[in-house]
Structure formats: C-alpha cells, structure tokens
Amino acid sequence: MITRFLTDVRAKFNPFSPRGKTVRLFLSLLPPNARSSIKIETKMLPRLSKEPSALYVKLKDGKELNLDLEKMKITEVTAEVDRHSRLLSRKEELTGS
Amino acid sequence: MPPRLRLPLGNLRVRIYHHILPSQQCTYASLATTTTPAPPIDQTIRSIPPIARFPLNQPPSHKPPELRKSQLHRQYQSLLKSSPLILLFQHNNLLALEWMGIRRELAYALRNVDTERATTSHQNLYADAIKIQIIQTGIFASALRVVEFYHPESQPDSPTQHPSNPSTTSSARIPDTLPTPDDPRFTHGLSRRAHQAAANRKLKLELDPLLSGPLAVVAFPAVSPQHLKAALSILSSSSDFPAPKRKIQPSYHEPAVQAGLQKLMLLGARVEGKVFDQEGTKWVGSIPGGIDGLRAQLVAMLQNTGASVTNILESAGRSLYLTMEGRKCMLEGGKKETETEKRGE
C-alpha cells in the first residue's frame, strides 16, 4: 500500500466483530514511522456494541475517503486507497523532479 | 658412554607368540560358547520386556516434530495451559528499539510491584515470569483450539501396558511399539487425536475474531490484579491506570518507548478461560488488593449477613417470648383483679 500521501487516518472498530479485522489489518499496514507524518486516531468499541466499524482516510490533496467496511475486505480497501495515491504520485512525477 | 637403561639383551628382542593365538585355539563354535559367561538368572527365567522404539518424553506426533511450527504449537499450548491470564495486543510495525524499550519498562514496573509485595511478606512474586511475547497468530489459534476442545482425561483410555515399563511381561501383546502417530494411546497435545479434535470446524472459539493480524501476548502465571495493573499502566495507560510520572520513571518517557506504545493496541484478555474486552480487562486490573482483597470483601459481606440473619431469627423468638410474657402478665393481672373483686363482695 502506498502510504506516502496519507495525512489523516481515523479508525473505529470493535475487535470482537469479524468486520473489525479489516481495520486492524489496515492499521498494521502503516509503516513504523507513520505517526510522524500521518495523524492516526483509533477508537476501540466495547465488545457488545453493534456500531459498525469505520475507516476515514484523508490524502495529501484533500481527498477524503470514507470506506464502507461492511462489505470491503482489506485488499479492496488497499486498492481503493492506492488508486488515489497512484494518481498523486504520477502528478508529482510530472510536476516536480 | 654406557646406556642409561640397563636392559638385558633378551628383552629387546621382538617376540612373536604363534602358539597362543585364539583363532588357532578354538576351531569349533560349540567350544567357543562354553567359554562365554552364563546370562544372569533373571534373564533365564524371563526375557527382557519389549522395547519401545521412541523415548518416553518424545512420543510420535501428527506433524513432523522437528518443524518450527510443531515446536511453537507445543510451546503455545503449554503457555495457554499454564497461564490463567493472558493479555492480547496488536502490534503495528514496531521497531526493535521500541520493543526493547517497552520490554525494559514493563520489567521495571513489574519488579517494583514485586519489591512492594516482598515488603508485605507476599509469597507470589511473578515479575520474572511476565513478559511480552510476539506470537505466530495462526499457530496460536490452532494451539488454543487444542487446549479448548481436546480433553484426553475425559476420553476412555485403552488399557495398555507400556513397553518400556519393566513390569510389563515379555509375553504381553503390545499393539505397536513402532513410532507411528496412528496409535490411539498417544494423548499429548501434538498427537493425531488432538489434531482431529481441534480440526472440527463446527466448534467456534470465543477468541476467534481477535486472532488475526500481528499479535503479541502478555502471559501471567496467576491472576494477580496488582501485576496486571502495573502492566496495563505501562502498555495501555488510561485515566484508571495512569502512566508512571516523568520524575519516577524517566526512561518511560523516552521518544522510542512512547512511539512504540502508540502502536500497541490492547484487544482483549483471556482470564481463566473466559474472554474479556478492554473494559473487562481494566475491571480485572482494578480489583483492589487482588484475590486477598476479594476474600476480605467476601468475609465482610458474609459477616454482615450472618449478623443480620441471627438478628432476624432471634427477633422472631424474642417477639414470641414478649407476647407470651405480656399474655401471662395480663392473665395474672386479670386473676388478681377477679380475686380482689371476690374479696370485695
């Protein structure tokens, strides 16, 4: 996953629901030094809450992604984030260096 | 100069003894057997028991035992069986330096708890046994399934004699002394029966949704809320479990440790076979005084109820006594009155 262009990640999940797995895996994909450049907020829900897990991602150009995690799996989430990141990286290549 | 060692010339000659070579001495095999010593009397009465082809502490396992995953499986099983309290953490790409710092701080905090307990003459000092450990999630899940669903004690044993037991007679028919995992006698955690019991996919673990992604565990050898509190205040500090102050533990506030702690997430805990979420874990950690505190609470509660129960039971008897006394007084008073009335007439 391309994480260079992420600026903001807000995650909310219940670890005891099978849907919370996607968010947890997404958080584990962020690089070790991610917290120096990305603002990461995680909120863990109690075990019995029925609240759906949510993942909000903001990219460098201001693009905001609210990912619906009821259906998406981790590969789809990374594909979605990468699609925008790749656009940004191409733009960066054309304009800069 | 004469030689220093004075030897007679006859000793310096090489002698060849042709006439006492054993090959020449016994030409018949029957003659040779007569010279060997007789076997001990025990062996002539009964022969040696049949031999098992594997060591007692290394029974054959379902998967090849020399693989790393088999050994990890065995290790996790013993961890799960021996520690009633296990905290589960997710670790998101921590660096080695950060792990080092976190381990150091955890050990320091736990040692402080132990020194405190040692001063109040507690026997249970666990600081050296509590460590944070990264686990292989899949193997841990499999080991947990074996621990939860495989109970060899409850299954009926096939009455067998162990081959390497000296009391086993040589004529005993032992089904299989060769190391094959098919043998139903093997009931250890890596045996084929254990594997089959754990392979039943209809049985669901309560902890199943947690067991994915990168995980680390903190295992406690006993449910000791004081140690749990210390561990929680280091690993996931909150308002209930405040992190140590900068003056008391300055190394805790190093950037490496703090960056590492941000990437650790407490997912839940397994306490004596039951699964708790974050809140439940904090509740266990906040039991004042640990198991002794709970015992004291229970004793106080029972004493109070005992007193009230005796009061209630007594009160019934007392009220009966009072009413009877009242009645008696009334009757006696009535008699006196009638007597005085009679006298008056």
Side-chain angles (χ1 to χ4, degrees):
Chain A
M1 195 171 70
I2 307 167
T3 52
R4 272 186 301 152
F5 303 103
L6 301 183
T7 57
D8 213 339
V9 173
R10 268 180 240 155
K12 186 175 73 173
F13 64 98
N14 176 5
F16 284 89
S17 83
R19 296 281 153 213
K21 185 179 164 183
T22 318
V23 186
R24 288 205 289 129
L25 289 178
F26 182 84
L27 290 173
S28 73
L29 285 176
L30 298 173
N33 58 352
R35 268 151 230 266
S36 57
S37 58
I38 309 173
K39 216 174 119 193
I40 300 172
E41 283 174 32
T42 54
K43 194 189 166 203
M44 223 170 291
L45 299 169
R47 189 180 174 186
L48 295 172
S49 78
K50 297 283 173 198
E51 217 174 323
S53 47
L55 183 61
Y56 165 87
V57 178
K58 196 177 176 188
L59 289 110
K60 218 167 235 177
D61 64 336
K63 172 85 182 171
E64 292 176 11
L65 294 173
N66 261 319
L67 297 157
D68 172 31
L69 294 167
E70 289 304 301
K71 288 168 194 164
M72 290 169 90
K73 296 210 163 172
I74 184 64
T75 46
E76 292 159 343
V77 170
T78 52
E80 190 78 6
V81 174
D82 275 358
R83 186 183 304 152
H84 296 284
S85 301
R86 251 184 275 117
L87 278 178
L88 288 180
S89 72
R90 195 170 303 157
K91 229 177 256 175
E92 199 183 53
E93 265 176 32
L94 289 173
T95 55
S97 56
Chain B
M1 208 171 118
R4 285 179 192 170
L5 290 172
R6 296 180 184 232
L7 292 169
L9 278 177
N11 284 4
L12 293 174
R13 231 188 305 147
V14 179
R15 287 185 193 171
I16 302 163
Y17 300 95
H18 282 291
H19 55 281
I20 35 173
L21 278 177
S23 61
Q24 288 182 343
Q25 196 177 26
C26 52
T27 46
Y28 296 105
S30 57
L31 284 176
T33 51
T34 54
T35 57
T36 55
I41 198 77
D42 287 349
Q43 281 185 27
T44 55
I45 296 167
R46 65 183 114 82
S47 62
I48 45 173
I51 298 164
R53 307 298 174 89
F54 54 88
L56 249 184
N57 54 355
Q58 290 174 11
S61 62
H62 175 59
K63 296 270 172 83
E66 65 274 14
L67 293 183
R68 178 177 159 77
K69 66 174 179 182
S70 305
Q71 291 306 321
L72 280 178
H73 202 278
R74 191 177 53 76
Q75 196 183 323
Y76 292 155
Q77 277 178 33
S78 78
L79 181 81
L80 283 163
K81 280 178 190 162
S82 63
S83 41
L85 172 53
I86 291 179
L87 298 183
L88 274 171
F89 285 89
Q90 178 173 348
H91 60 96
N92 299 326
N93 290 324
L94 270 81
L95 300 176
L97 198 69
E98 294 163 355
W99 273 122
M100 205 179 72
I102 289 170
R103 291 206 166 103
R104 182 190 63 213
E105 296 311 312
L106 183 65
Y108 180 75
L110 291 171
R111 233 175 287 134
N112 277 353
V113 173
D114 264 14
T115 47
E116 251 177 53
R117 283 169 77 100
T119 51
T120 54
S121 71
H122 269 284
Q123 295 301 315
N124 308 322
L125 309 174
Y126 304 121
D128 296 331
I130 303 169
K131 285 191 177 71
I132 190 162
Q133 178 189 4
I134 297 173
I135 52 166
Q136 296 272 324
T137 310
I139 301 173
F140 188 79
S142 171
L144 185 58
R145 290 186 74 83
V146 169
V147 170
E148 292 274 313
F149 302 137
Y150 179 58
H151 304 288
E153 333 61 71
S154 64
Q155 291 178 358
D157 270 4
S158 52
T160 48
Q161 291 154 307
H162 200 275
S164 55
N165 190 353
S167 65
T168 307
T169 52
S170 61
S171 59
R173 289 186 65 81
I174 285 167
D176 202 358
T177 49
L178 287 175
T180 51
D182 288 321
D183 198 336
R185 280 177 300 146
F186 301 127
T187 53
H188 56 284
L190 289 179
S191 63
R192 182 156 288 170
R193 276 162 91 188
H195 184 264
Q196 282 162 353
N200 184 2
R201 286 286 144 196
K202 279 177 191 163
L203 301 170
K204 291 285 176 203
L205 280 175
E206 222 179 333
L207 214 54
D208 253 342
L210 289 191
L211 296 173
S212 62
L215 288 186
V217 293
V218 183
F220 296 73
V223 183
S224 141
Q226 281 172 311
H227 288 97
L228 177 60
K229 192 178 178 185
L232 282 179
S233 67
I234 292 290
L235 296 171
S236 75
S237 52
S238 58
S239 53
D240 296 341
F241 301 96
K245 294 270 165 50
R246 195 180 287 272
K247 274 183 189 168
I248 298 165
Q249 205 169 332
S251 55
Y252 175 79
H253 295 273
E254 280 174 8
V257 176
Q258 288 301 314
L261 288 173
Q262 281 178 346
K263 293 184 238 168
L264 269 187
M265 296 193 297
L266 175 63
L267 295 178
R270 182 175 184 269
V271 186
E272 287 178 346
K274 292 183 201 72
V275 175
F276 286 82
D277 63 346
Q278 217 175 8
E279 310 279 312
T281 315
K282 282 179 180 164
W283 172 73
V284 172
S286 63
I287 295 169
I291 194 78
D292 295 337
L294 279 185
R295 271 190 208 123
Q297 279 180 20
L298 185 67
V299 166
M301 210 165 73
L302 287 176
Q303 273 177 344
N304 286 342
T305 50
S308 63
V309 163
T310 48
N311 270 340
I312 289 164
L313 289 176
E314 265 181 11
S315 70
R318 200 180 292 150
S319 66
L320 183 68
Y321 171 75
L322 287 175
T323 45
M324 293 305 281
E325 275 296 295
R327 183 71 186 154
K328 192 177 157 193
C329 285
M330 227 168 73
L331 287 176
E332 280 177 356
K335 264 185 192 171
K336 275 175 190 170
E337 275 172 17
T338 48
E339 278 172 11
T340 48
E341 274 171 18
K342 276 179 185 173
R343 277 176 196 166
E345 281 173 1

